[in-house]
Amino acid sequence: MTKKLLLVDLENKHKVDLSPLDESFRAIIFVGANQNPPKAAKKPATAHRFSRVDFLKISGAGKNALDFHIAFELGRTFETAPDTECFVLSGDKGFDPLLNHLNANGMSCRRVESIAELVPVNVVPLVAHDQVVCPFCNKASTIEHHGGHWCSNCGRFATAPDPKLLPSNQKGYREPERNKYGDNAIYYECGWCHQRTDMTGGIYDDGEWMCGGCIARYAK
């Protein structure tokens, strides 16, 4: 397994989560003169997370002081372990000429602006050759139905059915009988209880409805 070294410019990247990195990575976090290492590194309960992490605090303040320390570490790695793949986590493009020079001399190194650039892209799960992925929900939970593929996850056809195989096109098919009695209810607002309800059995007088319920109550 190729050794990988991550050099973190903490003055430029103030929050760093190394948890997505695998065991092939070792990290050196360069801490500015006016910064402190993460408190989690000192607590016994969380110290194990930093077993492959070293903190290097810059002793003096000055323009680009931290950058020069990272450059020195790259040079030392080039001399002692040239097969190491190096990454500089920083948004400072001033590192690029140095990294290009090291690459031209046989070293493998590059600048990244986020940990996400170091994590492999999720591998798309393999789907059996006879399975169809639904374009609506992206699930491979389809079954063949009427010549098409119906998705049991979202309830839609992933591929259109064959019209010749639809039940409605089969010989002897009869359209289901529908209820011949429609909804003949009359819905209005009752002028007494002010509820919108079925006025069947109600009374309409002088531009106002009185529902059957109110009639029954007032008739008592």
Side-chain angles (χ1 to χ4, degrees):
M1 182 182 293
T2 303
K3 293 182 179 179
K4 300 173 184 177
L5 176 63
L6 175 64
L7 307 175
V8 180
D9 179 356
L10 198 63
E11 282 187 337
N12 188 270
K13 298 293 181 179
H14 304 297
K15 294 183 179 180
V16 181
D17 179 11
L18 303 178
S19 59
L21 302 181
D22 60 32
E23 295 181 354
S24 64
F25 278 91
R26 186 173 72 86
I28 301 177
I29 298 180
F30 292 82
V31 184
N34 299 319
Q35 293 179 300
N36 292 312
K39 294 180 180 179
K42 301 178 181 179
K43 295 181 180 179
T46 52
H48 65 281
R49 301 178 188 173
F50 300 88
S51 59
R52 292 177 287 113
V53 179
D54 294 320
F55 293 92
L56 199 161
K57 186 174 177 64
I58 307 305
S59 57
K63 185 178 180 180
N64 297 326
L66 188 146
D67 298 354
F68 288 128
H69 282 71
I70 292 179
F72 171 78
E73 189 63 38
L74 284 168
R76 182 162 65 177
T77 302
F78 180 66
E79 289 295 325
T80 59
D83 294 334
T84 303
E85 191 173 356
C86 295
F87 303 91
V88 177
L89 178 61
S90 176
D92 187 352
K93 295 181 180 180
F95 285 107
D96 294 348
L98 171 62
L99 300 180
N100 291 336
H101 175 70
L102 292 173
N103 285 324
N105 284 274
M107 192 175 182
S108 176
C109 51
R110 65 187 175 98
R111 181 177 61 86
V112 296
E113 297 202 14
S114 70
I115 295 295
E117 296 181 49
L118 304 176
V119 180
V121 178
N122 291 334
V123 179
V124 178
L126 295 177
V127 178
H129 70 280
D130 58 343
Q131 278 189 304
V132 175
V133 177
C134 177
F136 302 104
C137 65
N138 295 320
K139 300 290 185 181
S141 54
T142 56
I143 58 174
E144 190 173 352
H145 188 57
H146 296 321
H149 289 86
W150 182 78
C151 179
S152 61
N153 182 65
C154 67
R156 290 187 280 186
F157 272 98
T159 59
D162 185 348
K164 296 179 181 179
L165 299 178
L166 293 176
S168 58
N169 291 327
Q170 303 306 307
K171 186 177 180 180
Y173 174 80
R174 295 180 60 185
E175 187 75 23
E177 292 187 5
R178 302 182 184 277
N179 186 359
K180 62 182 179 180
Y181 300 103
D183 186 1
N184 296 319
I186 304 172
Y187 292 94
Y188 284 99
E189 182 178 324
C190 176
W192 297 78
C193 66
H194 304 291
Q195 298 295 318
R196 184 175 177 82
T197 184
D198 179 10
M199 291 299 169
T200 303
I203 298 174
Y204 181 77
D205 182 47
D206 196 19
E208 192 173 58
W209 278 97
M210 185 177 188
C211 70
C214 288
I215 293 173
R217 283 194 294 272
Y218 282 96
K220 291 181 180 180

